[in-house]
Amino acid sequence: MIRHKRPAVAVVLLTVLGGCDNGPEADVLAVAEDHQLTIEHAARLLANQSQLPNRPEIVEALADLWIDYTLIATASLGDSLLESVDISPLVRTEIEQEMVYRLRDQVIQVDTLVSEEELMSLWEQSGPGGEVSARHILLSLGTGASDAERDSVRALAEELKRRAEGGEDFSDLAREYSQDRGSAEVGGDLGTFGRGDMVGPFEAAAFTLEPGEISDPVETIYGYHLILVDEKHLESLDDNRVEFLAQVRAARVAAAESVYVASVEEPANVVIRSETFPALKELARRPGQRLARRAAARPVANFDGGEFTVGEFQEFIQARPPAFRSQFPTADSAALDGMVRGLARAELLVNEAERQGFVLGQEETDSIMERARSRFGLAVAQLGLRDITPAQGQTQQQAISQRVNQNLGEILQGQRDVIPLGVISYALRTEYRGEWFPAAVPRVVERIKGFGDNPPAVETGTSAPAPNAPPPDSGGAP
């Protein structure tokens, strides 16, 4: 989408394209506004969880969760809906999705009327389940076969079909002519197979035939096949009619959408900037880091009339669950190219929706904003981070640390589910200071090893104060 980019934050702890990764103090794993998570405290939290492997990615996940929960607790003090936090990335994503849905509904016109004959034919070809027992005769085609050679092989296949239908034994013909020597020795018998077991054209033909029928020559990458079905077992269409009809209609809509998307993408001349892939991998691994203005504005993909940037990729990856983000750091260039191309394609569709006037009104935008704020409030409530009241002699900072550490301990012990904050996390880290430090991660791993089989008990009371926080009596590392 062509739009004004968000200004960069004034203070940059790290950029995706370089910078120091040391913490403000040597023993710090992460900071979150006026709080610090020390290496010692993180190691004690994890050392008591024997079911978790002592690996860097576990330490990183803990640090990210600690930052998210500490920041949302800090931000929600007296502001449970986080009205002071800029949630435009979250709202913009929902607005853009709605714009594209409206564009799709307008431009994708599909005939979803399916006749009974069509439905039955499609069921036989691609309905779920089912098994076929079949024989075949394979006539191979050499690599780079000429048209004349192909015609000759096909003519032989057609002749063999006439002979089989005229009364000659299919199994004998398979033993004599089939070039699939493994099955030829047993009369072309392939045994019983289900959907997905054979190459597409072969499977489609086999499941369409009735027992005793012989197919016309079927071409696959192996050559021409004649297929004789001995037995076929299919589930009843009547028992699956509603679900299968919905699948057929959905497939038609998807095919039409694919054609339309291609018509938008192809003339846009999308160019993927593969030199940014290392930065994207690092962002997927550490999605909460802050970006310098120059790093955020760097194009990941260019296309006629616009671009998709590193900063926009960060907004996207923040909203994805950890299982999705974990695909990026280990993806090869081809996979990354496909992922980025899909993001550029989505951007093009938003641009097209804008061009055609599918822009939401203020009332609709306000409604989306209100729902997003409600999700903030729900997350705060689910985490038990609303209205944290200090105990006697305890500071507000200590009370937050105690509640967050208690949550983390319960999560690690399987007593509480993880509540990922997604784009909320991105919004919080834009407004507040929050970062973990890669150089500290292996030190946590080593510290856990040092505990051996007798890890110390962990105090859930506090984490250490940041250097600009209140005096040491407001919280200390265990």
Side-chain angles (χ1 to χ4, degrees):
M1 183 173 179
I2 305 172
R3 53 177 174 258
H4 180 69
K5 308 298 181 184
R6 177 198 300 259
V9 293
V11 179
V12 180
L13 299 178
L14 281 172
T15 74
V16 98
L17 303 175
C20 177
D21 66 0
N22 295 317
E25 294 182 2
D27 63 345
V28 174
L29 171 63
V31 295
E33 198 61 7
D34 292 336
H35 298 256
Q36 290 183 348
L37 177 63
T38 65
I39 289 171
E40 179 72 15
H41 190 72
R44 291 190 180 203
L45 277 170
L46 292 171
N48 284 274
Q49 313 306 321
S50 59
Q51 78 281 9
L52 291 176
N54 183 19
R55 298 180 58 84
E57 55 266 31
I58 300 297
V59 177
E60 294 168 6
L62 174 71
D64 268 325
L65 209 56
W66 176 86
I67 292 170
D68 284 349
Y69 289 2
T70 301
L71 290 184
I72 200 170
T74 300
S76 65
L77 291 175
D79 181 15
S80 62
L81 294 182
L82 305 185
E83 293 181 357
S84 63
V85 177
D86 178 13
I87 64 170
S88 57
L90 175 60
V91 174
R92 181 166 59 245
T93 298
E94 293 191 40
I95 290 173
E96 291 177 350
Q97 287 178 343
E98 180 61 28
M99 290 167 57
V100 172
Y101 290 153
R102 295 182 183 187
L103 171 69
R104 178 197 63 188
D105 292 343
Q106 180 66 31
V107 301
I108 305 298
Q109 302 296 327
V110 183
D111 181 7
T112 56
L113 181 63
V114 183
S115 70
E116 186 65 21
E117 287 185 357
E118 285 180 291
L119 191 63
M120 179 57 73
S121 176
L122 290 169
W123 176 259
E124 291 180 342
Q125 293 178 41
S126 58
E131 290 183 334
V132 167
S133 297
R135 302 172 182 272
H136 82 141
I137 298 172
L138 170 64
L139 303 177
S140 300
L141 284 171
T143 304
S146 66
D147 289 344
E149 290 171 325
R150 299 172 74 87
D151 290 344
S152 176
V153 173
R154 183 179 178 88
L156 175 57
E158 291 171 343
E159 172 62 23
L160 293 176
K161 179 182 180 181
R162 284 192 293 270
R163 289 171 60 179
E165 290 179 335
E168 291 190 48
D169 188 271
F170 189 93
S171 298
D172 291 340
L173 292 173
R175 291 187 183 92
E176 181 177 355
Y177 290 97
S178 181
Q179 291 169 297
D180 174 9
R181 301 318 304 170
S183 66
E185 294 177 358
V186 289
D189 191 3
L190 295 171
T192 300
F193 53 88
R195 299 191 191 279
D197 293 338
M198 300 294 183
V199 293
F202 188 101
E203 177 184 302
F207 274 89
T208 303
L209 296 170
E210 294 301 324
E213 282 189 306
I214 300 173
S215 71
D216 290 329
V218 176
E219 185 176 0
T220 72
I221 57 174
Y222 303 106
Y224 283 107
H225 307 255
L226 291 179
I227 306 168
L228 168 64
V229 168
D230 292 327
E231 296 181 18
K232 182 168 71 170
H233 304 282
L234 297 179
E235 294 183 25
S236 169
L237 172 60
D238 288 339
D239 293 340
N240 298 273
R241 180 177 299 275
V242 174
E243 296 84 354
F244 187 66
L245 181 57
Q247 291 175 18
V248 170
R249 289 171 173 165
R252 289 188 177 184
V253 172
E257 286 181 349
S258 180
V259 171
Y260 176 74
V261 170
S263 74
V264 174
E265 181 181 4
E266 289 174 4
N269 302 312
V270 178
V271 177
I272 306 300
R273 302 296 181 185
S274 59
E275 65 273 15
T276 64
F277 287 176
L280 302 190
K281 288 186 174 186
E282 181 63 13
L283 267 179
R285 193 171 72 88
R286 300 170 56 213
Q289 63 184 284
R290 297 188 180 191
L291 296 178
R293 182 192 301 271
R294 187 173 179 181
R298 190 174 182 184
V300 176
N302 296 99
F303 44 82
D304 291 351
E307 62 188 16
F308 184 80
T309 67
V310 170
E312 289 170 319
F313 175 82
Q314 184 181 40
E315 289 186 13
F316 164 79
I317 204 68
Q318 274 281 351
R320 308 276 79 79
F324 180 91
R325 294 201 302 261
S326 67
Q327 300 176 53
F328 277 83
T330 58
D332 59 22
S333 294
L336 284 171
D337 186 282
M339 292 175 182
V340 172
R341 194 169 296 278
L343 293 173
R345 185 181 303 124
E347 192 89 343
L348 286 167
L349 289 172
V350 172
N351 289 350
E352 182 64 16
E354 274 191 333
R355 189 186 70 80
Q356 295 199 28
F358 295 103
V359 179
L360 274 60
Q362 189 60 51
E363 185 175 340
E364 293 172 301
T365 300
D366 290 345
S367 177
I368 292 175
M369 181 77 75
E370 184 177 347
R371 291 198 300 270
R373 293 284 181 203
S374 296
R375 288 198 294 274
F376 270 139
L378 179 61
V380 173
Q382 288 177 321
L383 290 166
L385 299 176
R386 175 178 289 164
D387 301 326
I388 298 176
T389 304
Q392 186 174 2
Q394 191 180 44
T395 66
Q396 187 70 61
Q397 185 190 25
Q398 287 177 313
I400 290 174
S401 293
Q402 182 176 14
R403 187 70 59 82
V404 169
N405 289 333
Q406 179 181 345
N407 280 359
L408 291 177
E410 291 173 356
I411 288 170
L412 291 171
Q413 293 166 21
Q415 299 171 353
R416 177 188 287 269
D417 291 334
V418 173
I419 300 176
L421 300 187
V423 178
I424 298 176
S425 171
Y426 178 82
L428 288 167
R429 297 189 196 201
T430 300
E431 298 291 333
Y432 298 92
R433 182 185 184 207
E435 183 63 273
W436 58 264
F437 307 105
V441 172
R443 295 184 58 201
V444 175
V445 173
E446 289 304 313
R447 186 70 182 111
I448 294 172
K449 289 180 181 177
F451 291 142
D453 296 329
N454 298 299
V458 61
E459 298 176 18
T460 60
T462 61
S463 52
N468 58 347
D473 62 359
S474 66

